[in-house]
Amino acid sequence: MPVTSSETSRIYELPDEAATLQIAANVFTHLPIGSLVYLRGNLGAGKTTFVRDYLRAAGVTGPVKSPTFTLVEEYVLPNLTLFHFDLYRLNDPEELEWLGIRDYLRPDTISFIEWPEHGAGHLPVPDLDIELRYQPQGRRAVIEAHTHRGRMIMKALTGH
Ligand SMILES: Nc1ncnc2c1ncn2[C@@H]1O[C@H](COP(=O)(O)OP(=O)(O)O)[C@@H](O)[C@H]1O
Ligand SMILES: [Mg+2]
């Protein structure tokens, strides 16, 4: 259940991993093809776990590993291709141009990007910006919508 809720922002308490799985599955249900999602938060906050839970909800049963060293992992789902980026080790945001970032963020794909701060100036505005924060017990997710599509997703998440 969201703790606070507005058209562009929502906060969820995630006392345990089951709660993280629940919100990731909720996002999976409502995320249209073409969406871009930023995942922010300190090391160990749960960014990769969130993507893994999302992919489990999408039916992916194989390993979901952190793209810390590869920068990007690709998952081919029945209707779309999903890209999971981790830009932690990016030295310069300009490297995204060499990586051909625009070829990944197509209307027929969904992308999650961990550490988008490291790509500042070379990434489009995300539909959703999800920040995971440590709490005394578990985590807190602060979700913000930055586009029209993001606000539509947010509306769909209401009440869950
Ligand atoms: N809601 C939660 N409450 C407690 N622990 C969590 C929660 N969500 C994830 N975790 C744990 O926190 C860790 C997050 O690791 P990871 O997802 O690799 O972090 P990041 O990608 O942000 O560096 C994992 O050990 C995971 O089991
Ligand atoms: Mg990670």
Side-chain angles (χ1 to χ4, degrees):
M1 284 294 264
V3 182
T4 67
S5 179
S6 78
E7 265 187 29
T8 57
S9 158
R10 218 181 284 315
I11 297 177
Y12 290 87
E13 296 294 355
L14 309 173
D16 51 31
E17 290 192 41
T20 301
L21 178 63
Q22 204 179 2
I23 181 64
N26 190 353
V27 168
F28 164 71
T29 306
H30 299 293
L31 204 64
I33 297 177
S35 296
L36 174 63
V37 179
Y38 285 1
L39 283 165
R40 296 185 300 111
N42 291 337
L43 283 174
K47 302 178 294 297
T48 298
T49 301
F50 188 97
V51 176
R52 188 175 293 123
D53 288 345
Y54 177 98
L55 287 166
R56 293 289 176 246
V60 173
T61 53
V64 175
K65 33 181 195 146
S66 174
T68 309
F69 295 99
T70 51
L71 277 184
V72 60
E73 293 284 339
E74 177 178 346
Y75 299 89
V76 179
L77 306 178
N79 312 320
L80 77 148
T81 299
L82 186 140
F83 295 110
H84 177 198
F85 291 87
D86 182 342
L87 305 184
Y88 188 68
R89 286 178 184 271
L90 203 70
N91 295 313
D92 184 330
E94 275 202 28
E95 285 175 29
L96 287 175
E97 305 304 329
W98 296 99
L99 192 71
I101 187 73
R102 269 168 255 275
D103 295 334
Y104 288 95
L105 310 181
R106 298 186 312 257
D108 60 333
T109 65
I110 283 180
S111 286
F112 285 90
I113 305 182
E114 296 185 41
W115 294 101
E117 302 91 331
H118 291 205
H122 291 264
L123 290 174
V125 169
D127 297 299
L128 292 184
D129 183 331
I130 302 178
E131 187 189 350
L132 294 161
R133 293 185 190 159
Y134 280 96
Q135 295 293 289
Q137 166 100 52
R139 307 285 188 272
R140 167 178 276 195
V142 181
I143 307 183
E144 288 182 356
H146 288 285
T147 63
H148 176 69
R149 173 158 52 200
R151 287 188 288 280
M152 292 293 109
I153 300 164
M154 203 70 111
K155 211 179 258 180
L157 292 178
T158 310
H160 286 259

